[in-house]
Amino acid sequence: MYVNKWAGFSVSVLCTVSAGLAYCFSLYSNQLKEAFGYDQKQIQAVGSATNLGGYASIVSGLVYDSMLDWDGKGPRLTILIGVAINIIGWVSLWAAAKGLIATPFWLVLVIAGLTCNGGTWFDTACLVTSVRNFPNDRGTVVGLLKACVGLSASVYTSIYMGFEEPDAIRFLLYLAIIPALVGLCSLPFVNFVPYTQKSEMCSEPKICTTGGRFLMAYQIIALLALYLLITAVVDQSATIALAHQTRLLLSLGTIALTLSILLVPLGSGGLVSQPTQGSGDEEDGTQSTRSRAGGTPRSVDPNLPQPLRHAAPDEHAPLLSDARTLSDVEEPEVPGPFASSSKQEGPGAKGPSKLSPPMQRAGGDRREGGLETAPANDDDAELAKGFVKQMPDMTLLECCTSANFWLLFLTCSIGMGTGLAFLNNLGQLVIALGGQGDSQAVFVSLFSVSSCAGRLLLGYIPERLLHARGTPRCIFLVFISALTALVVCCNAFASLLLLFPASIMAGLAFGALWSLMATLTSEFFGLHHFASNYTIVQLAPATGGFALGQLVGSLYEREAHNQSAGKSCYGVHCFRLAFLLIGLLDMVAVASSTLLYYRTRHIYKTEYDELHQHDEDVRHTPSGRLNMEHAFSTSGIADSS
């Protein structure tokens, strides 16, 4: 028995809201700096340690991948480990800041890393499971979940301002308890469903379709982001002084809007997942879906007709009537790489199969999600040969030795490191530009909400353009890298007033990179080892954040010493040299992303042909009938090195 995919997805959204606590560092950095008596370089190292812990998720990826066949235990154990790490980290940091335990500087760095490492286990379990459950909508899924990670800082900032401001040290206990409770409540619901369920085949009403439910989730997250933005601006307005009770009500509104994501599964068939009629029973219907989502295939009934052994209904395909089997479907002859002389075997075979189904990729379930199983016969093996170069199944080692991996890693390391260096220094930047010490909260909220918008937009827009026009997803990586370079150069000459739009643009670019990084990883390296490959790529922002954070901290300390021999610096020049140097590095990211685009752009032509043909077939298929000929999902895009 499996829990409804939509229940698991909505709970995953809630869980990932607590997976981005590394972005909250500027809320408590000033008080932490005072509690420990650190200088700017030391507190910057603590912030970098939180980033490193928040992105050092390779262990969680390896643990998840090692339990792919444990039928639900893998994601749940991953979340449970995250809960334990989260509690230990935040409680230890609170105790150290209160002086309850002796903590040398190196131990503070270790504790800071632990505080945000628990969220990586939440992120790995929820994102990878959701992508495997909805492989045809991976861009949309990644955009939604990464948007929630981006909103983490803003959501918890709202809670902080309503419940604990200005005691940021005591708020550390909230960061220990709330995510742990959310994670424990999520355990029963997050599971991989190895078949297409009935609710995914719904075509009416529109809100109950797969696309309609994702659109509803987008609207809820967008409304939450807008609410957080408005409340942050109003709260920090110089003309409006909000009472504590008003702030508390605003915080409760944030919590209510966040919980409204639980409305998405309504009308999807109850808590227990129900397989489609075309899937038969659960055991027989799981083969191709498990395979296309990166799981190890189960045995299949050998008495089934050959097409039914290698086909799983797509999320968007209507059901086939009982009176018509797959063998009754005429397959058009298409020249080129999709052509095949293989014949159907088993009952009801009707001549040659001239078309490998769009989205099926080399024989149905054999290479979906980067997984390859043995071909059923020689003809199928011959059919598979034409797609091997387009279908990745890269292990962690193969991924790390790929040229495309290093180009993607370099681009994300610089671009996302820039965003982290900006975010972690917002508190000091605001003070340097003449703002008040506690006014950084509005800029954190602006950055967080903009990051959410970037993740939503760059999850949805590239996916739609790929379906509609075949636009390579990687071209957006070039544009966002250029935007990052422009924003950081503008920050070198910013005033306090200009810091408002600068925070918005920096958050937008930073969030966009998150959506692109995760989705491109699944396309370049496959879904079978997606958890471990994704988590190794996720070291890129940690590496960039630490390196650029140290650069900013060192140059800031030099400016502060030259100004007054103290620990604080005042004036626009405090961060100017650091931002200009980072801007030069961002131009390197533009060059590397451009090279990556030229290495992979030709592969998207085949991807577009398949997606376009699939969309056209689904659009012209009568409602309630399943065209099994095109009922398969996209798997991945190969490395061209």
Side-chain angles (χ1 to χ4, degrees), residues 506-524:
L508 187 69
F510 182 72
L513 286 172
W514 269 113
S515 280
L516 291 173
M517 183 186 74
T519 311
L520 290 174
T521 299
S522 73
E523 289 180 332
F524 292 160

Side-chain angles (χ1 to χ4, degrees), residues 284-297:
D284 289 339
T286 60
Q287 162 76 4
S288 55
T289 303
R290 290 177 67 88
S291 181
R292 70 193 175 99
T296 302

Side-chain angles (χ1 to χ4, degrees), residues 527-596:
L527 280 179
H528 183 49
H529 302 284
F530 179 43
S532 52
N533 291 338
Y534 160 67
T535 52
I536 195 67
V537 174
Q538 198 167 236
L539 286 175
T543 304
F546 183 82
L548 297 184
Q550 290 301 297
L551 172 66
V552 173
S554 297
L555 294 177
Y556 177 90
E557 285 295 321
R558 191 185 72 171
E559 291 293 338
H561 181 76
N562 292 338
Q563 185 179 84
S564 61
K567 294 183 178 180
S568 298
C569 179
Y570 302 94
V572 69
H573 64 280
C574 295
F575 289 93
R576 176 171 294 168
L577 179 59
F579 284 152
L580 289 177
L581 290 176
I582 292 175
L584 291 177
L585 290 175
D586 282 317
M587 295 308 299
V588 175
V590 173
S592 62
S593 60
T594 302
L595 179 58
L596 182 61

Side-chain angles (χ1 to χ4, degrees), residues 120 122 150 171 179 226 267 341 425 428 466 473 570 619 621:
T120 67
F122 296 165
F171 184 67
L226 182 62
S341 61
N425 286 278
Q428 290 72 35
L466 178 60
R473 197 186 307 270
Y570 302 94
R619 187 177 296 112
T621 300

Side-chain angles (χ1 to χ4, degrees), residues 473-485:
R473 197 186 307 270
C474 199
I475 190 64
F476 292 93
L477 193 62
V478 181
F479 294 150
I480 297 301
S481 298
L483 176 62
T484 303

